[in-house]
């Protein structure tokens, strides 16, 4: 699929981007096609593929959530509600592009080539979950430090430029809270100054854990924060996978074309808690606030369109869900079969060249483990 949007068209908004600029939208919250020019460029098969991507991520979330409650996964950041934002963005990039994900971007990482079983091992804190070389995944493991992946992406993109790599970009994600971090500003400023091929995504899901977006910044939009770095930016309806894909593809083409970095603010919403580590959104979000977003569920939105076109049905969806569940079940089994980690191995993985005191500790623990 190719984009019908040119990101260069957004470059003129560098000085004016604000809330008065309507986010790009193809299908509205009622499932109505409001940009027929873009929509008509998609075949039924392509639309079904987009739906499958979101169903896949929703099913992955549901199974991952269940596994965490069973004590079979470790750290987990729910993605329910952000399927259009994440899958629409990921689809726009190529396998040779460098992905610098945050911890809520595991679905993108899997679609970029990381097997689900290794993603589960990453959640469990197993070293094999960070082993990308064997899989040929171009990128890094999910970043836990808020916003730090923006600095990494800028550096990787500079490497792409200095090494003369063509048709290659670095892309990264953060949440609305990440835009209040120093690393966010340093990353986009560096990228803008050196005009590197990077695409920055801000998944504005309304809250930085429990802090609402309007409390953490007085900026009218998060996209306009790119203005200071001289980077073109745009807002998109993050619950509309067609709109997200169009903008993401255009941004990638813009960056890969030697025009420098681009930034996208995707307006979305996380339906559940921030993470599985005890967060309860009912303590800081009201039902009245949540309802419009739940009604704007990206799956419901595209499902209506496809059913109206008679290319999707409940039976098709349920059959596909069972296929995904089977895939996840196999992944859990493979993750369970991974060798248990030893204390000596934890110590060996601290530094590439262990310090003298760690060398002593490794030897001591290996002696105990041998017994």
């Amino acid at each position: 699929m190719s984009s019908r949007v040119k990101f260069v068209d957004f470059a003129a908004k560098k000085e004016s981007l604000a809330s008065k600029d309507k986010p790009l939208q193809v299908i509205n919250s009622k499932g109505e096609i409001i940009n027929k020019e873009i929509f008509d460029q998609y075949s039924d098969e392509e639309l079904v593929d987009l739906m499958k991507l979101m169903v896949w991520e929703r099913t992955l979330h549901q199974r991952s959530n269940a596994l965490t409650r069973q004590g079979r996964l470790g750290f987990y950041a729910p993605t329910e509600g952000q399927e259009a934002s994440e899958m629409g963005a990921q689809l726009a990039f190529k396998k040779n592009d460098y992905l610098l994900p945050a911890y809520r971007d595991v679905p993108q990482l899997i679609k970029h080539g990381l097997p689900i079983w290794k993603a589960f091992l990453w959640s469990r804190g197993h070293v094999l979950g960070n082993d990308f070389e064997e899989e040929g995944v171009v990128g890094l493991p999910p970043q836990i430090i808020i916003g730090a992946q923006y600095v990494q992406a800028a550096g990787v993109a500079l490497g792409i430029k200095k090494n003369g790599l063509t048709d290659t970009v670095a892309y990264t994600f953060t949440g609305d809270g990440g835009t209040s971090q120093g690393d966010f500003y340093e990353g986009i400023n560096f990228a803008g100054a050196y005009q590197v091929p990077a695409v920055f995504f801000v998944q504005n899901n309304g809250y930085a854990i429990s802090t609402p977006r309007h409390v953490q910044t007085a900026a009218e939009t998060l996209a306009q924060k790119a203005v200071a770095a001289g980077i073109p930016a745009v807002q998109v309806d993050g619950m509309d996978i067609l709109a997200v894909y169009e903008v993401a593809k255009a941004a990638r083409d813009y960056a890969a074309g030697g025009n420098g970095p681009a930034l996208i603010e995707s307006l979305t919403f996380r339906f559940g808690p921030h993470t599985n580590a005890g967060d309860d959104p009912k303590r800081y979000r009201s039902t009245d606030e949540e309802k419009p977003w739940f009604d704007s569920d990206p799956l419901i939105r595209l499902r209506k369109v496809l059913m109206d076109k008679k290319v999707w049905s409940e039976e098709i969806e349920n059959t596909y869900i069972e296929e995904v569940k089977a895939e996840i079940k196999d992944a859990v089994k493979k993750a369970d079969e991974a060798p248990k980690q030893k204390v000596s191995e934890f110590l060996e993985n601290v530094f590439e060249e262990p310090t003298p005191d760690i060398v002593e500790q490794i030897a001591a623990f290996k002696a105990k483990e041998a017994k």
Side-chain angles (χ1 to χ4, degrees):
M1 289 181 280
S2 60
S3 175
R4 264 62 61 172
V5 174
K6 299 297 183 185
F7 204 86
V8 69
D9 295 339
F10 300 126
K13 293 186 177 183
K14 280 193 290 187
E15 289 76 34
S16 65
L17 185 68
S19 56
K20 63 179 178 294
D21 297 305
K22 291 184 178 180
L24 181 69
Q25 191 178 68
V26 178
I27 302 172
N28 67 18
S29 60
K30 297 179 181 178
E32 299 168 338
I33 301 165
I34 62 169
N35 193 322
K36 204 168 183 302
E37 181 180 356
I38 290 178
F39 181 83
D40 286 347
Q41 299 299 314
Y42 286 82
S43 67
D44 289 348
E45 183 180 357
E46 288 174 330
L47 294 172
V48 168
D49 286 344
L50 290 171
M51 185 67 189
K52 282 187 171 182
L53 280 173
M54 293 196 292
V55 171
W56 173 86
E57 182 170 344
R58 179 66 58 87
T59 306
L60 178 66
H61 158 77
Q62 291 169 344
R63 296 304 303 139
S64 298
N65 203 36
L67 289 166
T68 59
R69 291 175 179 175
Q70 296 167 9
R72 302 179 72 184
L73 284 186
F75 176 83
Y76 175 62
T79 62
E80 186 178 27
Q82 297 186 210
E83 293 88 356
S85 180
E86 296 187 346
M87 290 296 98
Q90 178 58 35
L91 183 63
F93 293 87
K94 298 182 178 181
K95 290 296 183 182
N96 61 294
D97 292 331
Y98 286 76
L99 171 58
L100 292 299
Y103 51 74
R104 205 179 305 278
D105 306 313
V106 174
Q108 298 99 294
L109 193 53
I110 294 171
K111 287 302 182 183
H112 201 53
L114 187 70
I116 298 176
W117 69 275
K118 280 201 170 181
F120 286 164
L121 286 181
W122 176 84
S123 172
R124 295 177 181 181
H126 198 294
V127 67
L128 285 179
N130 299 279
D131 179 13
F132 288 10
E133 186 174 357
E134 183 181 350
E135 313 299 341
V137 179
V138 182
L140 293 180
Q143 176 60 259
I144 296 296
I145 301 172
I146 306 298
Q149 64 275 18
Y150 263 53
V151 176
Q152 293 175 321
V156 170
L158 179 63
I160 291 171
K161 183 174 182 177
K162 290 178 71 67
N163 282 286
L165 300 180
T166 59
D167 195 28
T168 305
V169 304
Y171 63 111
T172 187
F173 299 79
T174 193
D176 42 292
T179 68
S180 295
Q181 293 291 109
D183 284 350
F184 168 84
Y185 292 99
E186 292 172 17
I188 63 173
N189 184 68
F190 186 97
Y194 288 93
Q195 288 293 284
V196 300
V199 179
F200 299 103
F201 286 92
V202 176
Q203 293 200 88
N204 181 359
N205 64 20
Y207 285 86
I209 307 182
S210 60
T211 304
R213 172 248 186 273
H214 69 86
V215 170
Q216 60 169 302
T217 178
E220 289 187 69
T221 70
L222 301 181
Q224 72 190 71
K225 291 187 175 187
V227 171
I231 297 176
V234 66
Q235 280 187 322
V236 65
D237 181 352
M239 310 297 268
D240 177 357
I241 191 169
L242 270 73
V244 175
Y245 171 75
E246 288 289 330
V247 171
K249 181 65 170 60
R252 189 206 175 276
D253 291 345
Y254 178 87
N259 300 298
L263 185 144
I264 296 169
E265 178 186 0
S266 177
L267 301 174
T268 184
F269 196 75
R270 58 171 168 84
F271 288 174
H274 173 69
T275 68
N276 62 341
D279 176 48
D280 180 7
K282 295 187 183 301
R283 297 180 63 183
Y284 52 84
R285 293 193 324 210
S286 69
T287 302
D288 289 342
E289 178 186 354
E290 292 175 336
K291 188 178 186 306
W293 288 103
F294 291 157
D295 291 344
S296 188
D297 187 320
L299 274 72
I300 294 175
R301 198 184 287 201
L302 186 56
R303 184 185 293 125
K304 180 182 182 301
V305 172
L306 297 185
M307 285 185 167
D308 287 347
K309 289 172 71 65
K310 301 188 185 306
V311 295
W312 192 256
S313 66
E314 184 177 348
E315 182 182 0
I316 292 173
E317 184 164 332
N318 289 337
T319 298
Y320 183 62
I321 288 173
E322 291 305 313
E323 292 175 9
V324 177
K325 284 182 178 179
E327 177 187 14
I328 295 171
K329 183 178 180 180
D330 290 341
V332 172
K333 181 180 179 182
K334 190 166 184 178
D336 288 343
E337 293 171 350
K340 304 299 180 185
Q341 296 182 101
K342 300 175 182 178
V343 175
S344 61
E345 292 172 336
F346 281 119
L347 292 167
E348 287 173 333
N349 290 321
V350 174
F351 296 111
E352 185 175 0
E353 295 184 12
T355 60
D357 59 329
I358 291 181
V359 169
E360 291 180 7
Q361 293 177 49
I362 291 171
F365 276 104
K366 280 190 172 180
K368 291 181 180 179
E369 291 162 359
K371 295 179 181 179

